[in-house]
Amino acid sequence: MRTALLQSSGRPGSVAANLKVLDEAAERAAAAGARLLVTPEMFLTGYAIGDDVPRLAEPADGDAADAVADIAVRHGLAVAYGYPERADADVFNSVQLIGADGARLANYRKTHLFGCFERDHFTPGEQSVVQADLDGVRIGLMICYDVEFPENVRAHALAGTDLLLVPTAQMHPFQFVAESVVPVRAFENQMYVAYVNRVGPEGEFEFVGLSTLAGPDGIARTRAGRGEELVIADADPAFLAASREANPYLSDRRPGLYGPLVQA
């Protein structure tokens, strides 16, 4: 599956401006043959928007979702986008996957909130594995800090995720996550991982870019730099199947020994 990673912080605070950036990126991605476009964490509104989080939050089936669905249909590719999701009295840090036909395929709420900013503005999600099938590939959804918990990614591996999408807002000085942790997660769980970051200064944060699509061999198929960029690479199901056949991590597990690891 040809996958496009949109490394951009857009225009924090302006949903309309960010939808325009998304539309332009979708046009470029589709022209390059991509079937899937992935944005960073909180792309629709911006990340460091403080008390504007509740004001800009929308339901999963709100106006912004309709606008993204229109972009997906016009350009003929699926879109996974980060946004603040309002559900009754709660606001979640979410990512939604919309198919090329405009259908809402999956919605994931970040389970591991990072730092005071997120804990002050969001409610943590409670479902660790959210998946959808796209062009015969099982897509999994996760957000930023979630991927740094190995149990999270292993749960996706055991549930059959082929391509894990991780919109992120990775900031200085934690760039080693993009450089080292993500390729290792892909290798040890035998899957592709698309890690898509924001870039540049935003509020009190400095986002480091370095978006990557890592393969099950632990090798990056593409890696962005430190600026605004659209990078594209393939997640190859045939290569994934061969890699899983050759790598025994999942079959060699001994779950009976791991009980203490998940005790509070």
Side-chain angles (χ1 to χ4, degrees), residues 111-188:
T111 54
H112 296 75
L113 301 180
F114 178 80
C116 295
F117 169 74
E118 291 191 10
R119 288 191 289 269
D120 286 347
H121 288 92
F122 299 105
T123 298
E126 295 297 332
Q127 186 174 357
S128 61
V129 177
V130 173
Q131 299 170 307
D133 291 328
L134 185 66
D135 291 356
V137 175
R138 180 154 294 180
I139 305 293
L141 301 175
M142 194 173 280
I143 299 174
C144 197
Y145 194 39
D146 291 328
V147 81
E148 297 176 40
F149 293 81
E151 302 90 343
N152 254 11
V153 188
R154 181 51 55 87
H156 268 274
L158 296 176
T161 291
D162 300 317
L163 171 59
L164 182 63
L165 309 183
V166 189
T168 189
Q170 184 64 66
M171 58 199 70
H172 179 80
F174 305 111
Q175 49 265 37
F176 66 88
V177 175
E179 294 170 336
S180 301
V181 174
V182 168
V184 169
R185 289 286 179 271
F187 177 70
E188 68 191 4

Side-chain angles (χ1 to χ4, degrees), residues 26-259:
E27 182 177 19
R28 292 164 55 203
R35 294 289 297 153
L36 171 64
L37 172 64
V38 188
T39 80
E41 181 177 3
M42 292 282 286
F43 176 77
L44 204 59
T45 60
Y47 181 88
I49 56 174
D51 291 338
D52 277 344
V53 168
R55 180 178 69 84
L56 294 176
E58 291 192 16
D61 60 353
D63 291 343
D66 290 342
V68 175
D70 179 68
I71 290 171
V73 170
R74 283 191 290 105
H75 298 294
L77 80 174
V79 177
Y81 68 99
Y83 74 110
E85 178 196 355
R86 178 172 296 285
D88 297 322
D90 293 318
V91 175
F92 298 93
N93 183 338
S94 297
V95 54
Q96 181 152 233
L97 176 65
I98 292 183
D101 61 355
R104 296 191 302 113
L105 301 180
N107 189 74
Y108 170 79
R109 296 165 173 174
K110 189 174 187 178
T111 54
H112 296 75
L113 301 180
F114 178 80
C116 295
F117 169 74
E118 291 191 10
R119 288 191 289 269
D120 286 347
H121 288 92
F122 299 105
T123 298
E126 295 297 332
Q127 186 174 357
S128 61
V129 177
V130 173
Q131 299 170 307
D133 291 328
L134 185 66
D135 291 356
V137 175
R138 180 154 294 180
I139 305 293
L141 301 175
M142 194 173 280
I143 299 174
C144 197
Y145 194 39
D146 291 328
V147 81
E148 297 176 40
F149 293 81
E151 302 90 343
N152 254 11
V153 188
R154 181 51 55 87
H156 268 274
L158 296 176
T161 291
D162 300 317
L163 171 59
L164 182 63
L165 309 183
V166 189
T168 189
Q170 184 64 66
M171 58 199 70
H172 179 80
F174 305 111
Q175 49 265 37
F176 66 88
V177 175
E179 294 170 336
S180 301
V181 174
V182 168
V184 169
R185 289 286 179 271
F187 177 70
E188 68 191 4
N189 291 289
Q190 288 299 290
M191 63 175 62
Y192 287 92
V193 180
Y195 188 77
V196 189
N197 201 8
R198 305 181 69 81
V199 64
E202 187 180 332
E204 63 184 288
F205 308 109
E206 180 185 350
F207 300 114
V208 300
L210 302 175
S211 299
T212 188
L213 177 65
D217 52 3
I219 296 174
R221 299 303 190 268
T222 187
R223 187 181 295 282
R226 298 296 186 98
E228 302 268 340
E229 197 169 350
L230 181 72
V231 295
I232 298 174
D234 292 328
D236 181 356
F239 182 84
L240 178 59
S243 182
R244 286 172 169 171
E245 183 69 23
N247 189 305
Y249 273 144
L250 298 184
S251 61
D252 283 352
R253 293 170 62 251
R254 297 181 62 192
L257 300 179
Y258 309 149

